[in-house]
Amino acid sequence: MGLALSEFKESLALSVALIKLEKKYPATPDVIDRPFVKGLRGAAAVLMVASFEFFVRRIFEENISTLNTNPPSIDFSKLPSKFLEKNIFHSLKRTMEGPQFIAKPPLPQRIEDTINMCRLLINEHLNPDAFSETGSNPNGERVKEKFNEIGVENIFGKIKINFQKDWKTPVADTFIKDTLDSIVKNRHIVAHTADTLNITRQSLNDNMKFLKVLSKQLEKEIKKQVKHLAKSAKRTI
């Protein structure tokens, strides 16, 4: 188990604690209890997705960074075009404009950062940060897009068989993406409207199980792909 997955499981403990607190209230809460039940369920749903988003960012940072060695062992010309596009273009964009959702650094700092990044790219250095941004929206399309960027097409199709083994039941082709989309959508509803009507005790437990199974399979797939890249793009002397 990598550090990203380990951290994810630890962060999920916050949602688990909230779910345990919520279970202390009656299954059909009265008017007095309802605000507490809604608040605990909503908070658990929000924290669950926040933990998963951080996990997605971390597995890319953690695994892409293993491809950087000194001296460089990766030949840029052997890497997939989409991978290089993300590494080069997005790295320069981040240094020129600043990271997403963070105050833009002063111009002198951005100029210095861009020059330093150009040096790193010329020396065929991979920038893990370029692959980590999720746009605060780790839904199915975003996860699929991020794996496409490192050369893994149809990530949900690739992990389906192993996902089913851990899920303990067969699932439809669109089940993984659709379920992730639903979990993230409910998080957005809670965060922006405080509406928790679609969140039940059962859904919280199911979503927790789903994210644990999904994260395990995503980690396996990214490790497999990075290992493949390390071999297929190995620099020859």
Side-chain angles (χ1 to χ4, degrees), residues 20-29 33 36-37 40 201:
K20 286 182 178 179
L21 283 175
E22 191 274 339
K23 287 181 178 178
K24 292 182 179 180
Y25 291 94
T28 306
D33 292 337
F36 297 102
V37 171
L40 290 168
R201 287 182 181 177

Side-chain angles (χ1 to χ4, degrees), residues 8 28 30 51 58 65 87-88 93 103 105 128 141 147 149 154 157 163 167 194 209 213 227 232:
F8 174 59
T28 306
D30 58 27
S51 297
R58 289 287 287 123
S65 66
N87 185 64
I88 296 172
K93 181 179 179 181
E141 195 58 39
F147 274 86
E149 291 168 352
N154 188 24
F163 178 93
W167 191 246
K209 176 186 174 183
V213 174
K227 184 177 181 180
S232 61

Side-chain angles (χ1 to χ4, degrees), residues 2-230:
L3 181 60
L5 185 56
S6 176
E7 290 175 340
F8 174 59
K9 290 185 176 181
E10 288 180 9
S11 65
L12 277 182
L14 294 173
S15 294
V16 171
L18 291 172
I19 292 171
K20 286 182 178 179
L21 283 175
E22 191 274 339
K23 287 181 178 178
K24 292 182 179 180
Y25 291 94
T28 306
D30 58 27
V31 176
I32 296 176
D33 292 337
R34 191 169 298 279
F36 297 102
V37 171
K38 291 175 64 177
L40 290 168
R41 289 180 182 178
V46 169
L47 286 173
M48 213 179 289
V49 174
S51 297
F52 179 72
E53 182 192 357
F54 187 69
F55 162 74
V56 172
R57 289 167 49 196
R58 289 287 287 123
I59 57 168
F60 281 88
E61 292 172 356
E62 177 184 335
N63 287 279
I64 298 299
S65 66
T66 64
L67 294 172
N68 282 324
T69 57
N70 188 20
S73 60
I74 296 296
D75 184 342
F76 266 29
S77 67
K78 296 180 180 179
L79 288 169
S81 297
K82 287 183 179 180
F83 190 100
L84 284 176
E85 177 185 9
K86 189 67 176 180
N87 185 64
I88 296 172
F89 295 166
H90 199 67
S91 293
L92 292 174
K93 181 179 179 181
R94 278 174 58 93
T95 55
M96 289 187 292
E97 300 179 2
Q100 284 183 315
F101 311 120
I102 297 177
K104 183 179 292 188
L107 180 59
Q109 181 65 52
R110 285 186 284 126
I111 291 175
E112 181 181 353
D113 289 345
T114 302
I115 292 173
N116 289 333
M117 182 55 66
C118 287
R119 292 193 180 107
L120 289 172
L121 293 173
I122 288 171
N123 289 310
E124 301 197 352
H125 181 88
L126 298 173
N127 177 23
D129 290 344
F131 296 87
S132 67
E133 290 183 351
T134 62
S136 297
N137 186 24
N139 62 15
E141 195 58 39
R142 183 57 55 89
V143 171
K144 181 179 177 182
E145 174 187 315
K146 295 195 68 58
F147 274 86
N148 275 336
E149 291 168 352
I150 65 169
V152 179
E153 297 183 359
N154 188 24
I155 178 61
F156 300 121
K158 281 186 174 294
I159 67 173
K160 180 186 173 184
I161 293 177
N162 287 328
F163 178 93
Q164 289 178 142
K165 291 178 182 177
D166 284 348
W167 191 246
K168 308 300 184 185
T169 186
V171 299
D173 289 343
T174 62
F175 174 81
I176 302 175
K177 181 180 182 300
D178 289 347
T179 303
L180 180 57
D181 285 343
S182 176
I183 293 172
V184 174
K185 181 180 178 181
N186 282 337
R187 175 268 172 199
H188 292 337
I189 292 173
V190 173
H192 297 295
T193 70
D195 182 356
T196 63
L197 290 178
N198 292 327
I199 301 174
T200 65
R201 287 182 181 177
Q202 186 63 48
S203 69
L204 284 174
N205 290 323
D206 289 345
N207 292 348
M208 180 76 72
K209 176 186 174 183
F210 173 84
L211 291 178
K212 286 180 179 179
V213 174
L214 176 60
S215 62
K216 177 183 175 182
Q217 297 307 323
L218 292 180
E219 185 196 53
K220 283 184 179 179
E221 198 59 41
I222 196 171
K223 284 184 178 297
K224 185 193 303 182
Q225 177 64 1
V226 167
K227 184 177 181 180
H228 166 72
L229 291 173

